[in-house]
Amino acid sequence: MKRFNIIYFAFIFLLLVSIIYLYINIGQFEEKTKDNIKKVIFNNTSYFIENISSIIKNDINEDLYTTLKKNHKLRNKLEKQMETIVTPSFKYVYMLYRDNNGRYRYLLDGSKDDKGVFDTKFDVNKDEWDKVYDTKKPNVIYQDDIFGLWVTTLSPYIMNGKVVGIIAIDFSTTLFKYMTEIISPLKEIFLYIFVSVLFLFSVIIYQVIAQIRAKKDSIIDPLTHTYNRIFLRDFVTKIDFYNYDIAMFDLDYFKKINDNYGHKAGDYILETFSSIVKKNIRDKDIFIRFGGEEFLLFVYKKKKNRSYAKETIVRIRKSIEDYKFKYESFDIRLTVSVGLVVEIQKYKNIQEIIKKADERLYKAKHSGRNRVVDSDNTINNDTIMVNKLSISQIKQAIDEDRILCQFQPIYRLKSSEIKYYEALVRLCDKSNNLVYPGSFLDSIEGTNIYRDMTKKILAIVFKKIANQGVNISINLNLSDIIDSSIYEMLIKEIRNNQDISKFLTIELLEYEDLDNNLLQYRLSEIKQYGVMISLDDFGSGYSNFSVFESLPIDILKIDGSLIKNIDKSEVSFRIVEAIVLFAHNLNIKVVGEFIHNEEILKIVKSLNIQYGQGFYLGKPIDDIF
Amino acid sequence: MKRFVLLTMFVVSSFSSQINVEKKIYKMIFSALFPSNSVVKVWSDEPSKTFIFASMKKVKLVKSQNNADILMLYHNEEIDTNNKIVFANGYLVFQRKKGKAVGGFYWQKGRPNLIFVKKILQKKGIVLPDNLKKYIEDIK
């Protein structure tokens, strides 16, 4: 297509040049023809002038002026002879002499009209006539206009080596007019074609420029002036990615910048961050905004310095750490986490490399942020160990249906009946060994794979509910409810199973500082389908009593670390006691987990905790019968 | 149609260019003959030419020869010049009136020709500026 465009462009250009060439040639042809006509006229008049000269010479041997002045009859005779050559074209034939005052006067006039009288003055173009006297050579005066051509041929009459008169013939022709009539339409046609082609050419140039500009605009992120994903899509097909080390950047706690200072501050940070990175890289390195606050950097490999990419990335990380982002009156400090892949040859395609960079970025994030992870095994100041299942292994397990659930019963302690089961996700590796969430959940958190896995678990759980008619709980992070892609999938699955959704309980983990209004709205929407909401691991970490004010909680699960020590620790006992009292007052059911012996069970019961879970009561089972 | 348009253009353009030349020459003649007159009163025996004088600045066209400073003659008819300055317009008119006319202006072979008669200039006590002296002829 691109080659076709060049050919098309070249063709139009060639056409334009050809038309200009033809147009110029027609003009030259016209001028050449005019010159030739002038030559023909001059040759003809020269012939007549020669004849007139010989006639005069035949009759006059002495002083011309005196002879003619004296001999009136001779004048008449000669004028009659000159008159014979007068035609509509050779209009005036006459002979003048220059007097002592430099004025030209008639000697003879063979013209039929406007006849001059002997020795009277005739005002002529003196300079041109004087040339003939001075040079003793003929001269031709042309007067050209659009209607025709006037030519005055002047020829010296020489006696005894001296010019004594000038024979003049005024010639007029309409040949030029006719020629112009023929050539003008041709010139006009070429002019119109030229203008049309020029217009076409201009349109093409305009379109090409517009296309280039549009293409440039489409691949440049308007905020950071870095390349965008559209560029990446095209770029990866054109490059040999083995020539690059690839890094993925993510600004730490960027969301907080937007929340605290507003989106304009966020835009400023992104813009400034990009310019800092660009200052630290070379022209052949490619910096791309991958989305949001995520960026990709393709560092062109240096043959003599294999650690060049890492040095560059570490330098950038340090620059960001040291940089004071000044927004309005605020000094904002920021850090960046980076996943770097330098062992490119291990991967089959660019997607795998980007995925690996993403995994390492994730590790950098979950290892305290503000660091560079460039390996799956090592750890140092700028790196962190990664020793769990890779994203590709997890994805493969999902694709091959090797995700499953174990179910741990939760008992109603008064009646010793199973109230519901907690679904516990497991991954079955290729050797058929069970892999626990600690080895894979962290790796995929925040990725589409995490969402796919959640969807898989929901499908397993709903299937089990449909088959067994039991209550089952699943675990989700509060942030999953905020994450629109996970939430939309979740609500869709609940709607698809709304006749059995009342058997589902969602246990929420990780009480972060999240948007309570959105959480409240979304949890209320979930509860409309009869789904129960449980708060997991309450009493440790970031547990906050204020969540009960805004979130619609049905069940509260006391953190296992409190329960497992409740028989030994007075503090744990008192905390649990307070939590239970608080929950009862709010009519929230309480679950005690980690019940691993009879003593703990007794204490839990004594505290009026309604539900119990733990190895003493029932271990996770592969299936519910 | 095209020929008609071209012919009309030719006639109009050549006519208008000829008139412009004539106007310039008349202006030159009047300022040479009447250097101290703020307005030159002109009488002409050719009604079709009066528009030329009427359109000139510092020239007033008069209906009676008696009121005129100069008589512009285009015809050979004898008229009472009443000792006024006479100027011939046309070759034949000039030939006929050269005993009376201070000068003549005419087109010959497509070229404008101007003549002042030395004898009459002297008689009228007119001294031409230098640029017109080359047109003075000693006609006997």
Side-chain angles (χ1 to χ4, degrees):
Chain A
M1 189 65 189
K2 202 174 177 181
R3 185 172 292 174
F4 176 77
N5 275 345
I6 292 167
I7 293 168
Y8 184 60
F9 191 77
F11 172 73
I12 298 285
F13 182 73
L14 205 66
L15 194 65
L16 196 70
V17 172
S18 307
I19 289 163
I20 293 169
Y21 177 76
L22 283 172
Y23 184 78
I24 292 167
N25 262 2
I26 285 180
Q28 284 175 345
F29 167 76
E30 191 181 11
E31 288 306 313
K32 224 171 193 173
T33 311
K34 278 184 178 177
D35 285 344
N36 285 336
I37 290 171
K38 284 174 184 175
K39 275 181 194 165
V40 170
I41 292 165
F42 179 71
N43 287 339
N44 282 344
T45 51
S46 299
Y47 172 75
F48 286 127
I49 285 169
E50 272 176 34
N51 279 349
I52 293 165
S53 296
S54 60
I55 289 166
I56 295 168
K57 271 175 192 161
N58 281 340
D59 290 311
I60 302 170
N61 296 319
E62 295 167 11
D63 179 62
L64 180 67
Y65 172 75
T66 316
T67 308
L68 287 173
K69 191 178 181 184
K70 284 179 185 169
N71 196 337
H72 179 254
K73 282 183 181 172
L74 179 62
R75 283 203 320 254
N76 281 345
K77 181 192 153 194
L78 290 171
E79 283 179 347
K80 284 278 177 201
Q81 284 174 324
M82 286 165 80
E83 203 178 302
T84 57
I85 64 162
V86 172
T87 63
S89 294
F90 293 92
K91 206 170 179 183
Y92 304 118
V93 184
Y94 50 100
M95 189 177 189
L96 306 182
Y97 77 98
R98 189 168 70 182
D99 69 10
N100 294 333
N101 296 320
R103 293 173 194 171
Y104 285 88
R105 294 179 183 279
Y106 282 105
L107 284 171
L108 296 165
D109 191 353
S111 310
K112 287 177 180 169
D113 304 319
D114 283 346
K115 202 175 174 75
V117 177
F118 178 78
D119 217 15
T120 56
K121 179 176 75 85
F122 184 46
D123 293 338
V124 291
N125 186 342
K126 196 171 176 307
D127 292 341
E128 295 295 332
W129 285 67
D130 283 347
K131 272 185 201 170
V132 181
Y133 256 90
D134 299 340
T135 61
K136 297 180 185 175
K137 284 179 183 171
N139 191 12
V140 185
I141 304 163
Y142 295 101
Q143 281 177 289
D144 194 1
D145 60 37
I146 57 163
F147 302 105
L149 175 71
W150 282 87
V151 183
T152 303
T153 309
L154 307 175
S155 193
Y157 186 80
I158 302 170
M159 287 182 84
N160 303 323
K162 196 179 165 188
V163 178
V164 292
I166 294 173
I167 300 167
I169 296 180
D170 285 352
F171 180 91
S172 73
T173 179
T174 50
L175 262 175
F176 282 7
K177 191 185 97 181
Y178 293 128
M179 201 173 73
T180 306
E181 275 178 6
I182 294 164
I183 289 173
S184 283
L186 267 175
K187 282 172 85 175
E188 280 171 20
I189 287 168
F190 276 107
L191 191 68
Y192 294 145
I193 294 172
F194 172 72
V195 170
S196 306
V197 175
L198 188 68
F199 177 73
L200 190 67
F201 194 67
S202 309
V203 168
I204 289 169
I205 288 175
Y206 174 78
Q207 280 186 334
V208 167
I209 292 168
Q211 205 177 342
I212 291 167
R213 201 173 285 173
K215 194 175 178 185
K216 198 180 168 192
D217 287 348
S218 73
I219 58 169
I220 299 289
D221 176 57
L223 176 66
T224 58
H225 304 291
T226 58
Y227 293 113
N228 60 16
R229 267 174 179 270
I230 297 168
F231 170 81
L232 177 68
R233 197 175 53 202
D234 197 35
F235 172 68
V236 294
T237 61
K238 288 177 183 168
I239 56 154
D240 180 1
F241 53 85
Y242 293 114
N243 289 330
Y244 292 89
D245 294 328
I246 298 169
M248 186 176 275
F249 291 73
D250 189 286
L251 290 169
D252 298 331
Y253 299 111
F254 179 73
K255 189 177 174 297
K256 283 185 180 173
I257 303 287
N258 277 334
D259 292 345
N260 294 337
Y261 302 101
H263 286 279
K264 276 189 179 175
D267 289 350
Y268 159 74
I269 297 287
L270 289 172
E271 207 178 333
T272 312
F273 165 73
S274 302
S275 74
I276 292 170
V277 173
K278 280 191 261 182
K279 277 178 196 165
N280 280 283
I281 60 176
R282 303 158 300 173
D283 286 346
K284 50 188 167 184
D285 301 330
I286 306 291
F287 190 47
I288 300 165
R289 188 176 180 192
F290 195 54
E293 68 271 26
E294 272 190 347
F295 294 83
L296 272 176
L297 178 63
F298 287 67
V299 185
Y300 198 81
K301 281 182 188 293
K302 247 187 177 180
K303 283 180 184 172
K304 288 180 183 172
N305 183 3
R306 288 188 177 181
S307 59
Y308 175 79
K310 190 175 173 185
E311 287 167 10
T312 305
I313 306 296
V314 169
R315 190 172 63 242
I316 291 170
R317 186 201 65 71
K318 192 84 176 62
S319 301
I320 300 297
E321 188 181 38
D322 295 341
Y323 192 80
K324 209 183 274 182
F325 292 81
K326 286 185 183 296
Y327 179 71
E328 293 180 348
S329 58
F330 305 105
D331 284 342
I332 303 169
R333 291 284 188 178
L334 208 72
T335 57
V336 64
S337 300
V338 190
L340 173 65
V341 183
V342 290
E343 69 289 2
I344 304 293
Q345 64 286 350
K346 283 188 184 174
Y347 305 96
K348 289 178 201 163
N349 54 47
I350 191 75
Q351 284 77 19
E352 280 189 12
I353 301 167
I354 293 172
K355 197 188 282 177
K356 177 55 73 180
D358 196 16
E359 277 176 38
R360 289 180 183 171
L361 170 64
Y362 185 84
K363 293 299 165 196
K365 286 272 181 196
H366 280 76
S367 305
R369 296 181 169 89
N370 189 26
R371 61 195 62 214
V372 179
V373 173
D374 70 335
S375 149
D376 295 337
N377 305 313
T378 58
I379 184 164
N380 58 37
N381 282 344
D382 268 295
T383 60
I384 180 175
M385 184 188 287
V386 182
N387 55 4
K388 298 172 183 175
L389 284 186
S390 70
I391 290 181
S392 58
Q393 285 174 311
I394 300 164
K395 188 164 184 348
Q396 200 177 4
I398 295 170
D399 293 343
E400 291 173 1
D401 218 11
R402 287 190 278 111
I403 300 298
L404 49 94
C405 286
Q406 288 190 319
F407 301 92
Q408 188 173 24
I410 294 165
Y411 285 86
R412 192 194 298 273
L413 293 176
K414 266 189 181 173
S415 60
S416 299
E417 290 170 3
I418 294 173
K419 170 64 183 170
Y420 62 96
Y421 294 90
E422 181 180 359
L424 302 166
V425 66
R426 307 285 186 258
L427 187 147
C428 188
D429 70 11
K430 286 192 171 177
S431 310
N432 241 2
N433 298 316
L434 276 187
V435 180
Y436 290 86
S439 297
F440 60 84
L441 264 190
D442 287 352
S443 314
I444 57 169
E445 210 167 293
T447 66
N448 286 339
I449 300 166
Y450 179 84
R451 191 195 60 191
D452 294 345
M453 181 171 282
T454 308
K455 191 176 177 184
K456 193 89 188 168
I457 294 163
L458 274 169
I460 294 168
V461 167
F462 274 123
K463 193 178 174 187
K464 191 59 68 184
I465 291 171
N467 290 341
Q468 305 294 334
V470 291
N471 293 291
I472 300 176
S473 70
I474 60 163
N475 291 291
L476 285 177
N477 291 331
L478 272 170
S479 56
D480 294 340
I481 306 298
I482 294 291
D483 186 320
S484 292
S485 71
I486 295 175
Y487 175 72
E488 277 162 20
M489 180 276 298
L490 177 67
I491 202 80
K492 191 180 170 191
E493 289 298 315
I494 291 171
R495 277 183 193 138
N496 290 342
N497 295 282
Q498 54 183 298
D499 51 331
I500 54 171
S501 59
K502 63 180 179 185
F503 293 100
L504 182 70
T505 298
I506 294 173
E507 293 188 20
L508 296 169
L509 297 156
E510 293 195 8
Y511 324 118
E512 293 173 34
D513 186 16
L514 297 169
D515 182 349
N516 270 352
N517 289 334
L518 186 62
L519 265 177
Q520 190 178 17
Y521 172 77
R522 289 186 170 176
L523 289 176
S524 299
E525 193 175 14
I526 291 169
K527 276 175 71 71
Q528 281 176 10
Y529 296 94
V531 178
M532 304 279 275
I533 305 297
S534 170
L535 209 55
D536 203 359
D537 294 340
F538 191 79
S540 67
Y542 295 98
S543 300
N544 191 330
F545 282 94
S546 67
V547 295
F548 296 99
E549 195 169 41
S550 53
L551 304 183
I553 308 297
D554 300 301
I555 300 166
L556 189 153
K557 201 179 231 184
I558 297 170
D559 189 70
S561 63
L562 294 171
I563 300 290
K564 73 180 180 185
N565 293 324
I566 202 165
D567 55 339
K568 294 168 189 151
S569 165
E570 173 73 14
V571 175
S572 293
F573 180 84
R574 293 299 168 199
I575 292 171
V576 173
E577 189 181 33
I579 293 171
V580 172
L581 183 65
F582 170 77
H584 283 175
N585 286 336
L586 291 177
N587 203 22
I588 294 170
K589 300 280 187 269
V590 181
V591 179
E593 58 179 349
F594 276 49
I595 299 171
H596 56 90
N597 60 40
E598 194 178 353
E599 184 59 29
I600 291 173
L601 179 61
K602 275 181 189 171
I603 296 169
V604 166
K605 273 184 176 176
S606 71
L607 286 169
N608 281 331
I609 292 174
Q610 289 98 329
Y611 307 126
Q613 180 184 8
F615 274 32
Y616 181 70
L617 297 171
K619 291 179 181 174
I621 51 173
D622 292 341
D623 210 346
I624 302 165
F625 300 101
Chain B
M1 184 62 187
K2 195 176 175 184
R3 279 174 184 276
F4 174 74
V5 172
L6 281 170
L7 187 68
T8 309
M9 279 172 67
F10 172 71
V11 170
V12 170
S13 73
S14 48
F15 184 65
S16 63
S17 67
Q18 193 168 321
I19 286 171
N20 286 334
V21 172
E22 286 183 19
K23 269 187 180 180
K24 278 182 190 169
I25 291 170
Y26 286 140
K27 190 183 169 189
M28 202 164 61
I29 293 166
F30 293 154
S31 58
L33 296 177
F34 310 100
S36 54
N37 284 28
S38 57
V39 175
V40 178
K41 293 172 193 164
V42 177
W43 180 85
S44 172
D45 64 351
E46 175 52 57
S48 67
K49 292 282 184 178
T50 53
F51 77 95
I52 296 174
F53 305 113
S55 64
M56 289 171 68
K57 286 176 183 173
K58 297 180 181 177
V59 171
K60 188 183 177 186
L61 198 67
V62 294
K63 288 181 180 173
S64 163
Q65 297 103 295
N66 295 331
N67 297 334
D69 296 319
I70 185 167
L71 307 179
M72 303 296 282
L73 302 184
Y74 291 85
H75 302 288
N76 289 327
E77 281 84 16
E78 282 299 325
I79 56 160
D80 184 8
T81 57
N82 205 12
N83 211 25
K84 299 281 181 184
I85 293 174
V86 172
F87 202 88
N89 297 278
Y91 182 67
L92 292 175
V93 182
F94 175 71
Q95 291 299 328
R96 185 70 62 86
K97 306 273 183 189
K98 59 189 174 191
K100 286 181 184 175
V102 71
F105 168 71
Y106 50 88
W107 291 89
Q108 197 173 52
K109 296 182 174 65
R111 297 164 178 86
N113 274 260
L114 182 62
I115 290 179
F116 288 100
V117 182
K118 190 177 179 182
K119 189 176 68 182
I120 308 295
L121 286 171
Q122 284 171 346
K123 193 178 167 185
K124 297 283 181 186
I126 298 165
V127 180
L128 290 179
D130 289 346
N131 65 322
L132 290 181
K133 277 181 180 159
K134 62 185 173 187
Y135 297 109
I136 297 171
E137 288 281 289
D138 191 7
I139 298 166
K140 285 152 187 167

